[in-house]
Amino acid sequence: MPHTCRFCAAPLDHLVVDLGVSPLCESVLLADDLDRMEPFYPLRAMVCDRCFLVQLPAYVTPDVIFTEYAYFSSFSDSWLEHARRYAERMQRELGLGPSNLVVELGSNDGYLLRNFVEAGIPVLGIEPAQNVARIAEAAGVATLPRFFTHALARELRAAGRQADLIACNNTLAQMPDLNDVVAGMAELLASDGLITIEVPHLLRLLEDNQFDTIYHEHFSYFSLATLQRIMAAHGLSVVDVDELASHGGSLRVHVRHADAASVRPAVPALIAREHDAGLEDVATYAGFGERVAGLKRDILAQLIAWRSAGKTVVGYGAPGKANTLLNYCGIGPYLLAFTVDRNPYKHGRFTPGMRIPIHPPELIDEVRPDIVWILPWNLEREIAEQLAHIAAWGGRLFVAIPEPHLLEPGRPAEHAPSTVVGS
């Protein structure tokens, strides 16, 4: 079945990577679900040869994915700190106060907006996951449990509500109708307002083998150059960009109405770097799938070697990205006995597809495994510090991305060896 680009409508003819078939990454299972059929969908990323947007065809509609959602932002200490620093910066630079309005698209459990609420700044969260939106409301964060669309932006504007700041943190990738959403942001934004968009950087995804960040809930994967094209098509201009460490390397893109824009040098400088790295040449993407297949073989070889040697291997974390990796590699409880997670919502449940049990973190101390695999590798430092005590029984930490390597508990390494089989 032919597919077309969700931004420019050009035919999609170029494969980036084929990850087989996989269930929805946040669809953790109850024990009662284990005897039922689980839906699997193709997981193939394509690149458009006209605008160079990397994307998944929309195999699943957003209402299926996001009506009930298992991801809660507040269970990562480093992400909460990231949000706090962002809120302080925006308040300082924009001079926000009681007469302003901050809107967040995909506001989750209110983790970010509560910083503005505490400062007396009016907010509105827009969060389609009903279960998550209820938690935000209970925490005092005004939340509209709907999908953000251009039509909703028109409703809000007609009611006299325009945003001085729109935050779209790691949610633009989750919106299949890009043109409708960006048109809505332009509609909702006050004439001198600012939009900030945080997205994982496509350049880092390719360079660091971050294939596990590809899953059905993420419809699109962005370079700055492509984001600039998308914004310009809707009368918006990218005026600045920050390169962030979060999520394995992200961009925070600052956007204003085009007629109010003064572009800082960081924007053309990064676009030039992307061009030099070949992000606007389809040949650049052709080798990614082979590198991913090689990484799969290395991960499996390492786990099999440990299990053959009688070592106990468990996981830490049950993030969405882990489920792409586990299902693509075919890693079930025979190689990974269980995983743990700080989110109580997931306790007593099972990962989708591979059906690995998810327990509270305390089980690690009871079992005393030889190896703890940090599945959310983007939180490597935070988790390595939390697990420093496993060194007391000789436990070690394992990370698979960008390449398989071991860490000493409490001492994450910047660059680790690519092979650890037999360790």
Side-chain angles (χ1 to χ4, degrees):
M1 173 179 166
H3 298 286
T4 57
C5 176
R6 63 172 40 90
F7 168 57
C8 73
L12 289 178
D13 298 321
H14 302 280
L15 179 69
V16 177
V17 64
D18 187 342
L19 298 172
V21 294
S22 184
L24 298 180
C25 76
E26 292 288 357
S27 57
V28 290
L29 305 175
L30 294 166
D32 290 347
D33 297 325
L34 297 182
D35 288 330
R36 300 194 181 106
M37 184 274 293
E38 200 176 347
F40 280 61
Y41 305 91
L43 191 54
R44 302 175 74 244
M46 312 289 290
V47 62
C48 174
D49 60 13
R50 183 186 300 172
C51 70
F52 296 96
L53 177 66
V54 173
Q55 57 201 282
L56 301 182
Y59 296 115
V60 193
T61 59
D63 58 304
V64 172
I65 297 172
F66 297 113
T67 301
E68 181 83 7
Y69 202 48
Y71 177 75
F72 295 81
S73 297
S74 291
F75 288 105
S76 167
D77 294 337
S78 61
W79 191 241
L80 291 177
E81 177 61 17
H82 176 83
R84 185 192 65 78
R85 291 197 306 267
Y86 166 84
E88 287 184 352
R89 176 182 171 184
M90 291 297 105
Q91 291 173 55
R92 181 175 66 252
E93 293 185 0
L94 302 180
L96 298 173
S99 62
N100 298 113
L101 176 64
V102 177
V103 174
E104 185 181 11
L105 312 185
S107 51
N108 202 259
D109 57 9
Y111 75 101
L112 183 146
L113 289 181
R114 69 189 191 194
N115 293 284
F116 294 99
V117 171
E118 290 168 3
I121 300 166
V123 304
L124 176 64
I126 300 175
E127 172 53 59
Q130 308 285 321
N131 62 317
V132 181
R134 286 192 294 270
I135 291 172
E137 279 282 354
V141 176
T143 304
L144 191 60
R146 291 174 61 180
F147 287 98
F148 181 76
T149 62
H150 194 183
L152 176 56
R154 284 194 293 263
E155 285 181 36
L156 293 169
R157 183 166 180 166
R161 307 186 81 179
Q162 283 195 281
D164 300 288
L165 172 63
I166 298 176
C168 185
N169 290 352
N170 296 291
T171 52
L172 189 62
Q174 298 176 337
M175 297 170 169
D177 194 339
L178 279 178
N179 288 308
D180 184 72
V181 168
V182 177
M185 288 195 285
E187 182 85 30
L188 186 59
L189 187 66
S191 60
D192 59 348
L194 177 70
I195 302 168
T196 64
I197 300 169
E198 292 188 22
V199 291
H201 192 190
L202 177 62
L203 181 62
R204 294 294 299 276
L205 185 156
L206 296 174
E207 289 181 342
D208 293 342
N209 298 323
Q210 297 171 1
F211 75 91
D212 58 343
T213 62
I214 297 171
Y215 42 85
H216 300 103
E217 288 86 339
H218 284 177
F219 298 103
S220 304
Y221 305 82
F222 300 99
S223 66
L224 181 60
T226 295
L227 276 171
Q228 186 182 59
R229 292 187 186 99
I230 294 168
M231 297 301 129
H234 298 280
L236 298 168
S237 178
V238 174
V239 298
D240 202 2
V241 61
D242 305 316
E243 294 185 72
L244 309 174
S246 57
H247 294 289
S250 296
L251 302 179
R252 178 184 291 146
V253 181
H254 302 246
V255 177
R256 292 188 182 273
H257 288 292
D259 57 5
S262 176
V263 179
R264 295 180 65 85
V267 175
L270 182 52
I271 288 174
R273 277 173 46 208
E274 291 179 342
H275 183 271
D276 291 345
L279 293 194
E280 308 229 321
D281 180 352
V282 293
T284 299
Y285 301 88
F288 184 66
E290 280 304 311
R291 296 204 308 276
V292 169
L295 181 56
K296 171 180 177 175
R297 291 191 292 271
D298 291 344
I299 293 169
L300 285 171
Q302 179 61 81
L303 294 174
I304 291 168
W306 277 329
R307 294 297 293 129
S308 297
K311 294 184 183 292
T312 303
V313 183
V314 306
Y316 189 102
K321 59 167 58 74
N323 294 316
T324 290
L325 189 155
L326 296 172
N327 282 281
Y328 173 63
C329 295
I331 296 168
Y334 66 99
L335 288 176
L336 190 66
F338 62 84
T339 191
V340 303
D341 199 274
R342 292 176 66 187
N343 182 353
Y345 179 90
K346 298 182 180 181
H347 296 167
R349 302 191 184 215
F350 299 80
T351 66
M354 290 297 100
R355 304 185 172 196
I356 294 169
I358 306 171
H359 298 291
E362 292 75 20
L363 189 59
I364 285 178
D365 294 349
E366 296 177 27
V367 172
R368 297 193 166 203
D370 300 294
I371 306 293
V372 179
W373 182 358
I374 300 177
L375 292 166
W377 48 261
N378 54 300
L379 301 177
E380 174 185 307
R381 288 187 173 275
E382 175 183 336
I383 294 170
E385 291 171 1
Q386 292 171 5
L387 294 176
H389 65 283
I390 76 170
W393 65 75
R396 304 181 77 184
L397 302 175
F398 175 60
V399 179
I401 305 291
E403 55 192 8
H405 59 277
L406 285 167
L407 306 175
E408 294 303 323
R411 296 171 56 194
E414 293 292 344
H415 301 286
S418 60
T419 296
V420 291
V421 171
S423 300

